[in-house]
Amino acid sequence: MKLKINPNNVEFMISAMDVSQYPTENKSEIALSGRSNVGKSSFINAVCGRKNIARTSSKPGKTVNLNFYNIDEQFIMVDVPGYGYAKQSKTDREKWGQLIESYLADREELQAVVQLIDLRHKPTQDDILMYDFLKHLDIPVIVVCTKADKIAKSKVDKHLKIVRENLEVDPEDTVIDFSAVDKKNLPKVYAALSKYV
């Protein structure tokens, strides 16, 4: 199945602070995880074909809830709060950790996680921990390496290799270089998502 999304049929559903607020639609869910400034909102907007369905913030670490988006009645995309943001208080980080952990471990509708990594840099310790945690839970991961437009084309493969090696990517998991600016490889992202929708 090839995923086609009607941009006019994408809607923000709810910003949930705990399980009682999660949608009850019984649709497949695909979660997005990544560092606070990795470009999650830009990725959501690119996938949905909308300019600002997800608000891009100049202040990293702003999202502390789970944001649910209904994507053309086909699946629900769940924006998980960005990790690795040092200015959050210890209490916030702990609350964040419990929310994410329980969502990832217990949510039956969750089919896969798109983990966003900044292609320009080696994966951080937080990136590695998150990937390992998802693998520990047996969740399929689509690794999307963002900001690919900021790297010379000739160096993209070298950077992808660094990501694969540092994360020790499972051979079954897809790794895609991506740019929300030129939407390069959006078809590859759709193809990867369609396996879980």
Side-chain angles (χ1 to χ4, degrees):
M1 176 193 116
K2 198 150 185 264
L3 194 64
K4 269 196 179 144
I5 292 168
N6 173 0
N8 299 320
N9 202 22
V10 172
E11 60 170 5
F12 172 73
M13 298 170 78
I14 191 168
S15 190
M17 296 173 78
D18 63 58
V19 175
S20 66
Q21 297 176 313
Y22 294 173
T24 51
E25 263 82 356
N26 267 351
K27 283 189 173 62
S28 299
E29 290 178 1
I30 293 176
L32 290 184
S33 91
R35 282 176 64 79
S36 293
N37 51 358
V38 76
K40 279 192 293 151
S41 299
S42 302
F43 177 78
I44 295 169
N45 292 334
V47 167
C48 297
R50 293 273 290 275
K51 280 214 167 73
N52 49 11
I53 186 82
R55 302 257 187 284
T56 52
S57 167
S58 54
K59 287 185 184 158
K62 221 172 150 217
T63 312
V64 284
N65 299 346
L66 294 173
N67 290 326
F68 290 78
Y69 298 86
N70 184 339
I71 310 297
D72 197 13
E73 297 296 334
Q74 296 183 64
F75 66 100
I76 292 173
M77 196 175 262
V78 186
D79 184 9
V80 169
Y83 53 76
Y85 186 58
K87 282 189 185 166
Q88 283 173 329
S89 70
K90 189 164 181 271
T91 324
D92 276 354
R93 281 204 301 270
E94 279 170 9
K95 202 171 86 182
W96 177 98
Q98 286 160 1
L99 181 72
I100 308 313
E101 203 166 308
S102 70
Y103 172 77
L104 295 172
D106 305 327
R107 183 72 167 160
E108 282 181 21
E109 288 84 348
L110 179 65
Q111 303 301 312
V113 171
V114 174
Q115 185 172 8
L116 300 179
I117 308 270
D118 188 331
L119 187 58
R120 298 170 302 175
H121 310 295
K122 199 169 103 172
T124 64
Q125 203 50 44
D126 287 325
D127 290 328
I128 294 166
L129 285 170
M130 179 55 99
Y131 183 80
D132 289 348
F133 181 58
L134 294 169
K135 292 287 91 186
H136 167 70
L137 295 172
D138 276 336
I139 298 173
V141 182
I142 302 163
V143 180
V144 173
C145 301
T146 59
K147 312 196 184 195
D149 57 294
K150 293 184 162 57
I151 290 177
K153 281 195 177 74
S154 57
K155 293 189 175 163
V156 166
D157 285 342
K158 184 185 128 187
H159 283 260
L160 285 171
K161 186 167 181 263
I162 291 168
V163 170
R164 277 198 184 91
E165 285 173 356
N166 279 273
L167 288 184
E168 296 180 10
V169 174
D170 191 313
E172 290 164 20
D173 289 338
T174 310
V175 181
I176 303 167
D177 55 295
F178 183 77
S179 159
V181 176
D182 60 22
K183 315 283 191 295
K184 183 180 170 286
N185 286 344
L186 196 52
K188 283 189 186 176
V189 170
Y190 286 153
L193 292 174
S194 67
K195 292 180 196 167
Y196 305 105
V197 173

